[in-house]
Amino acid sequence: MNLILCLTEQCNLRCSYCYYKDTQAARHAVMDNATLEQAIRVGLERTHSFGQNLLIVSFFGGEPLLRKDAIYHAVGFAKALVAEAIDKGTVGKDFHLEFTINTNGTLFDDEFFDFCEREKFTLFLSLDGPEHHQNIARRTVDNTGSFGAIVKNIPRFVKLNATALSTITRAHIDTLAESAKWLHEQGFRSMTTSVDFDGKWTSEDFERLARQYREMAQYWFECRKNGDKFYLGTIQDKIKLMLSGRRFRNYSCHVFSGTIGIATNGNIFPCSRFITSNESAPYKQGNVFTGFDEIACAELHAFLESDKQECEGCDIRYRCCAHECACTSFYTTGRIESISPEVCTHERMLTEICDDCAARAISG
Ligand code: SF4
Ligand code: SF4
Ligand code: SF4
């Protein structure tokens, strides 16, 4: 079970594509220790109830490093809780705990890096690429680029095997492949991309993006041929799904039985992009103090078991984010049941490029 904890809704950056950008100034909520501890208890119980033996506690925000105190507290609390559960026989001796963090990388110091190393954190670093690429959208509160605050930390992120997460807006397209190579040259061995679908993508934008994806696929192909390790999720995730013959929702997406997101006020959501302390937010699944709302859970479960009508007959539906990923549909359309035409176009284009690349890789 992946327990995603939104420790704070605040952030020291103001990225142009942030899905909280319109509400950023009003977002002040932080998670208190009582909610944090209860969320971890719920995460442990739910992991156990699904017969799983791994609890991943993921620190999320806003920027979670604004709450280093809460991260230290949560790690100590979770370790003690799991040790107690093993002692009591509530969970098996093979039960284990892991920690991950999604961060913009600007607030790290040596002490926190040492802590992450000691606790074997998995790091996901939001870094779009080199300075001219990063500073297009990732800007501070006073509207200066954030690259300068991250660059000095890159060697330590690399040492901790961080995955670089790069976001693509229409303004990033033409320097995308170059940025992927740059990240690899800095030493990152794993990266992936996500697209900011803002409702303004044109067919010309998609053609330019397709050229960049082809260049990235070629670069990944050459790295693979030369035995140079580089996990490029943008390309490899689709190839892996195709080769496995499995459905995205059962392979990479673990909503419902494998993931829950907790807002600062303890409200429970299906995954990261839904999380908010807004009480009237859709898709709320309950609260850590009052338990799961069984009706809301049953509705989500029914959705996950079904296919979208608009996609009937589409060959790639079980590999398509618009069809399979609840978060993508939610943030692009406001409903998990709906389809964004932009995502549909993107998924068709990217799948074709990945399939071509896979065919080349298989034929040697
Ligand atoms: S770092 Fe993340 S939370 Fe902060 S403004 Fe950027 S996208 Fe939003
Ligand atoms: S809903 Fe989307 S983002 Fe969330 S776990 Fe599934 S695939 Fe990942
Ligand atoms: S590519 Fe379009 S039609 Fe096909 S599954 Fe995705 S959203 Fe549906």
Side-chain angles (χ1 to χ4, degrees):
M1 166 74 60
N2 184 16
L3 175 72
I4 305 169
L5 300 174
C6 177
L7 299 180
T8 173
E9 295 187 345
Q10 297 169 349
C11 188
N12 58 326
L13 297 190
R14 291 291 182 272
C15 305
S16 65
Y17 44 65
C18 182
Y19 43 90
Y20 298 126
K21 63 176 177 268
D22 297 332
T23 55
Q24 196 65 270
R27 288 167 55 85
H28 297 296
V30 295
M31 188 179 278
D32 61 29
N33 278 353
T35 309
L36 183 59
E37 291 174 8
Q38 184 62 11
I40 295 170
R41 282 188 203 99
V42 167
L44 179 60
E45 281 161 21
R46 193 140 173 103
T47 305
H48 181 56
S49 74
F50 279 109
Q52 301 164 10
N53 67 351
L54 168 65
L55 173 62
I56 303 169
V57 179
S58 298
F59 300 110
F60 205 78
E63 171 49 44
L65 263 76
L66 289 170
R67 298 293 319 285
K68 283 181 194 160
D69 56 328
I71 297 173
Y72 291 135
H73 180 73
V75 168
F77 181 82
K79 285 164 74 173
L81 193 70
V82 168
E84 187 188 327
I86 291 174
D87 277 353
K88 285 184 177 163
T90 321
V91 298
K93 285 193 168 41
D94 61 343
F95 194 94
H96 50 292
L97 190 57
E98 291 178 7
F99 301 102
T100 77
I101 190 160
N102 282 64
T103 175
N104 63 35
T106 57
L107 300 174
F108 276 70
D109 53 22
D110 284 342
E111 187 187 350
F112 199 76
F113 271 123
D114 292 345
F115 171 73
C116 290
E117 197 166 338
R118 214 166 43 244
E119 300 297 343
K120 299 186 175 55
F121 267 55
T122 300
L123 298 171
F124 295 96
L125 172 66
S126 299
L127 177 61
D128 292 339
E131 186 165 11
H132 60 275
H133 193 82
Q134 166 82 1
N135 285 350
I136 294 173
R138 290 202 164 268
R139 306 189 70 82
T140 62
V141 175
D142 58 11
N143 198 25
T144 54
S146 61
F147 185 79
I150 301 175
V151 64
K152 61 183 185 301
N153 293 330
I154 286 178
R156 286 215 70 179
F157 280 118
V158 166
K159 188 170 169 230
L160 286 170
N161 206 17
T163 295
L165 307 176
S166 174
T167 304
I168 307 164
T169 70
R170 288 173 295 114
H172 290 87
I173 298 174
D174 296 327
T175 45
L176 176 63
E178 167 208 322
S179 296
K181 286 179 209 165
W182 180 86
L183 286 165
H184 187 217
E185 282 159 10
Q186 301 313 299
F188 288 101
R189 291 294 169 262
S190 174
M191 81 164 279
T192 196
T193 54
S194 59
V195 180
D196 174 38
F197 296 108
D198 60 357
K200 296 178 186 159
W201 282 73
T202 63
S203 52
E204 200 261 299
D205 291 330
F206 280 116
E207 277 165 28
R208 287 192 294 133
L209 182 59
R211 283 197 286 279
Q212 295 289 317
Y213 279 161
R214 279 192 209 99
E215 206 178 310
M216 284 167 71
Q218 178 63 24
Y219 184 71
W220 170 76
F221 182 78
E222 280 163 17
C223 288
R224 187 178 173 276
K225 207 167 69 184
N226 299 332
D228 191 354
K229 192 167 175 264
F230 186 37
Y231 192 93
L232 183 53
T234 317
I235 306 299
Q236 272 173 274
D237 289 350
K238 288 235 183 293
I239 293 179
K240 248 177 33 185
L241 269 176
M242 187 259 285
L243 294 178
S244 75
R246 292 176 65 189
R247 182 173 182 171
F248 187 106
R249 270 186 207 160
N250 304 331
Y251 188 71
S252 318
C253 173
H254 306 287
V255 159
F256 193 74
S257 61
T259 299
I260 48 172
I262 313 296
T264 51
N265 55 2
N267 283 345
I268 303 170
F269 291 93
C271 196
S272 57
R273 297 236 170 166
F274 298 85
I275 301 173
T276 169
S277 62
N278 180 349
E279 281 296 346
S280 56
Y283 303 109
K284 193 170 83 179
Q285 306 283 293
N287 184 282
V288 294
F289 291 106
T290 53
F292 284 84
D293 173 343
E294 293 308 331
I295 295 174
C297 288
E299 280 168 9
L300 178 68
H301 196 237
F303 164 75
L304 291 170
E305 295 287 300
S306 63
D307 282 6
K308 293 187 177 178
Q309 273 180 4
E310 298 96 308
C311 303
E312 204 179 332
C314 178
D315 288 345
I316 64 166
R317 65 190 182 282
Y318 295 147
R319 289 194 283 157
C320 169
C321 283
H323 191 268
E324 298 288 279
C325 169
C327 276
T328 301
S329 292
F330 176 65
Y331 90 83
T332 52
T333 70
R335 304 288 312 162
I336 57 177
E337 303 84 358
S338 304
I339 299 280
S340 150
E342 281 182 344
V343 186
C344 177
T345 304
H346 176 268
E347 292 298 286
R348 286 177 194 274
M349 174 263 280
L350 179 59
T351 305
E352 191 182 325
I353 291 168
C354 294
D355 287 357
D356 284 351
C357 189
R360 288 180 56 214
I362 290 166
S363 67

